[in-house]
């Protein structure tokens, strides 16, 4: 493997552009040499300004290029599994944004192809690379709070997305809560065995689109710990991201990040900045670190820090949460009958 990894990007939407710009300025061990996007004509100036040599409309041009070592799949969710399969068969290492797919059979098919090809697959759960969450993970691993009893995760967006996005998002649990399911597994170092979900609708347009915008999910873990996740699509004060982990000998908490840590204190009270606006700003460093980790695992022939199974498990939990909401009962988290990798 060369000292510098040559990458190809498939999908130059919002998150694809974030990765491309981070690679250009913050990942010296990699070079983004090609990008493929359906709207290739509209991204040429942006791509060339970043020093990207080739711009295509067809992702096969990237997959078939033998000089490209790895691909970043940042296209629409329905393309993820087919592109993983094609890239794996071409011997390319793969970074893929979440989720791999909404269909468990398609996920399993893609992961089997990755295993067969012997390439590396990393899934884009960037919160694992956030400095605060990572420190909490390390403190737990060092035994600083003893055995985990309860994990509480708050995740609230500043404003709901367009209804047209809601219709193709896979629903709250597979679009938004999926990150929290991953964090629950990551922090607990344990699998979720049972889910009970309740939800409601504040925004009528979201309800008419067939989804919910507010939910509380309780979790049971194989370790015996319990978890609570609360989500809302609208938090008018900003992007609310908090975690609390209670253990047998202590507790660790990760709070929100304001625009600045400056606080004005007067006789009238305390005045602080608003929270970071949304996920791009809040997890800016995490996005950089996850691509660095992907490149390093290729260079050093290591297991990716977020594996294909880490992409599968939150979808299993999300599907169970959807079933729980529909049926009004706790639902076990299992692979479908006959499933397995």
């Amino acid at each position: 493997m060369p000292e510098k990894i040559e990458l190809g990007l498939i999908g130059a939407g919002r998150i694809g552009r974030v990765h491309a710009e981070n690679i250009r300025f913050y990942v010296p061990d990699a070079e983004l040499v090609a990008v493929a996007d359906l709207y290739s004509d509209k991204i040429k100036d942006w791509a060339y300004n970043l020093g990207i040599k080739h711009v295509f409309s067809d992702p096969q041009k990237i997959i078939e290029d033998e000089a490209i070592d790895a691909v970043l799949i940042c296209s629409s969710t329905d393309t993820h599994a087919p592109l993983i399969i094609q890239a794996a068969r071409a011997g390319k290492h793969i970074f893929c944004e979440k989720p791999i797919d909404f269909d468990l059979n398609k996920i399993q098919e893609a992961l089997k192809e990755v295993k067969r090809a012997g390439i590396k697959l990393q899934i884009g759960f960037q919160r694992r690379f956030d400095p605060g969450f990572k420190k909490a993970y390390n403190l737990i691993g060092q035994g600083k709070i003893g055995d985990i009893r309860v994990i509480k995760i708050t995740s609230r967006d500043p404003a709901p997305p367009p209804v047209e996005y809601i219709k193709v998002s896979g629903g709250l649990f597979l679009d938004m809560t999926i990150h929290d399911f991953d964090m629950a597994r990551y922090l607990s170092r344990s699998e979720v065995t049972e889910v009970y979900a309740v939800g409601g609708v504040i925004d009528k347009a979201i309800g008419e689109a067939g989804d919910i915008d507010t939910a509380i999910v309780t979790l049971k873990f194989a370790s015996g710990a319990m978890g609570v996740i609360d989500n809302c699509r609208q938090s008018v004060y900003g992007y609310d991201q908090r975690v609390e982990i209670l253990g047998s000998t202590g507790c660790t908490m990760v709070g929100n990040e304001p625009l600045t840590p400056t606080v004005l204190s007067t006789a009238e009270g305390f005045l602080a900045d608003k929270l970071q606006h949304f996920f791009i700003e809040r997890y800016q460093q995490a996005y950089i670190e996850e691509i660095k980790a992907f490149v390093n695992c290729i260079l050093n022939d290591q297991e990716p820090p977020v594996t294909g199974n880490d992409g599968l498990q939150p979808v299993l939990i999300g599907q169970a949460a959807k079933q729980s909401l529909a049926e009004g009962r706790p639902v076990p988290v299992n692979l479908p009958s006959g499933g397995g990798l």
Side-chain angles (χ1 to χ4, degrees):
M1 187 62 66
E3 292 185 3
K4 181 172 283 194
I5 302 299
E6 292 204 349
L7 301 173
L9 171 67
I10 301 175
R14 177 169 57 176
I15 195 61
R17 293 189 181 212
V18 167
H19 289 315
E21 291 163 11
N22 286 342
I23 292 165
R24 171 66 178 81
F25 297 109
Y26 302 109
V27 188
D29 293 328
E31 181 180 2
L32 186 59
V33 297
V35 58
D37 190 273
L38 287 174
Y39 304 101
S40 56
D41 288 344
K42 296 182 179 180
I43 66 166
K44 283 183 177 178
D45 289 345
W46 165 81
Y48 295 148
N49 286 336
L50 277 183
I52 301 172
K53 300 171 185 175
H54 306 291
V55 178
F56 307 115
S57 58
D58 183 0
Q60 294 304 317
K61 298 287 188 181
I62 288 176
I63 291 172
E64 294 170 1
D65 188 338
E66 294 183 0
I68 292 176
D69 303 303
V71 298
L72 282 71
I73 300 174
C74 303
S75 47
S76 58
T77 297
D78 61 306
T79 68
H80 289 182
L83 287 171
I84 287 173
I85 290 170
Q86 293 164 24
R89 288 174 178 170
K92 302 281 190 278
H93 300 296
I94 304 163
F95 175 93
C96 183
E97 280 297 335
K98 67 83 189 168
I100 298 173
D101 202 277
F102 301 135
D103 185 310
L104 293 172
N105 291 326
K106 291 181 180 179
I107 295 174
Q108 290 174 278
E109 182 183 358
L111 297 187
K112 286 177 181 177
E113 200 64 48
V114 166
K115 185 176 181 179
R116 187 178 296 117
I119 53 89
K120 301 183 188 303
L121 169 66
Q122 181 173 322
I123 305 302
F125 283 118
Q126 86 284 352
R127 294 184 190 181
R128 292 184 178 218
F129 300 88
D130 173 76
F133 293 148
K134 193 168 185 179
K135 183 173 182 179
Y137 173 84
N138 290 335
L139 289 172
I140 294 166
Q142 294 162 11
K144 298 294 186 181
I145 65 169
D147 297 327
I148 294 177
R149 298 291 190 248
V150 178
I151 294 178
K152 297 175 71 175
I153 301 174
T154 293
S155 180
R156 303 168 186 163
D157 288 353
V163 172
E164 291 306 311
Y165 173 80
I166 293 289
K167 292 177 180 177
V168 299
S169 69
L172 182 79
F173 297 132
L174 293 177
D175 173 52
M176 182 178 176
T177 325
I178 191 169
H179 281 286
D180 306 310
F181 294 147
D182 178 66
M183 285 304 299
R185 293 183 63 246
Y186 172 67
L187 292 170
S188 69
R189 292 173 168 83
S190 179
E191 296 297 353
V192 176
T193 59
E194 186 179 274
V195 177
Y196 180 56
V198 294
V201 179
I202 298 172
D203 188 323
K204 292 183 179 179
I206 291 177
E208 290 170 357
D211 199 11
I212 59 173
D213 57 19
T214 307
I216 294 176
V217 183
T218 60
L219 310 171
K220 287 185 179 179
F221 296 88
S223 65
M226 294 180 288
V228 180
I229 299 169
D230 84 78
N231 291 141
C232 189
R233 288 281 195 188
Q234 185 168 16
S235 171
V236 296
Y237 52 86
Y239 190 45
D240 193 351
Q241 299 282 288
R242 289 171 283 144
V243 167
E244 177 185 312
I245 307 99
L246 174 67
S248 56
T249 61
C251 179
T252 182
M253 294 175 280
V254 183
N256 281 311
E257 291 191 8
L259 293 173
T260 76
T262 306
V263 177
L264 172 65
S265 305
T266 70
E268 285 73 36
F270 296 86
L271 182 64
D273 274 338
K274 290 182 178 181
L275 303 181
Q276 295 283 352
H277 174 63
F278 208 11
F279 66 94
I280 297 294
E281 297 85 1
R282 170 63 177 81
Y283 293 113
Q284 180 180 15
Q285 189 62 39
Y287 281 117
I288 295 170
E289 295 303 324
E290 73 172 349
I291 298 300
K292 284 184 176 179
F294 174 60
V295 170
N296 286 337
C297 83
I298 298 171
L299 287 172
N300 299 313
D301 192 22
Q302 297 173 342
E303 179 84 353
V306 192
T307 66
N309 183 59
D310 292 324
L312 170 65
Q313 293 299 328
V315 177
L316 285 172
I317 302 168
Q319 296 284 19
K322 291 178 73 171
Q323 182 181 347
S324 174
L325 179 67
E327 299 178 1
R329 65 177 182 87
V331 172
V333 178
N334 296 306
L335 275 172
S337 178
L341 297 175

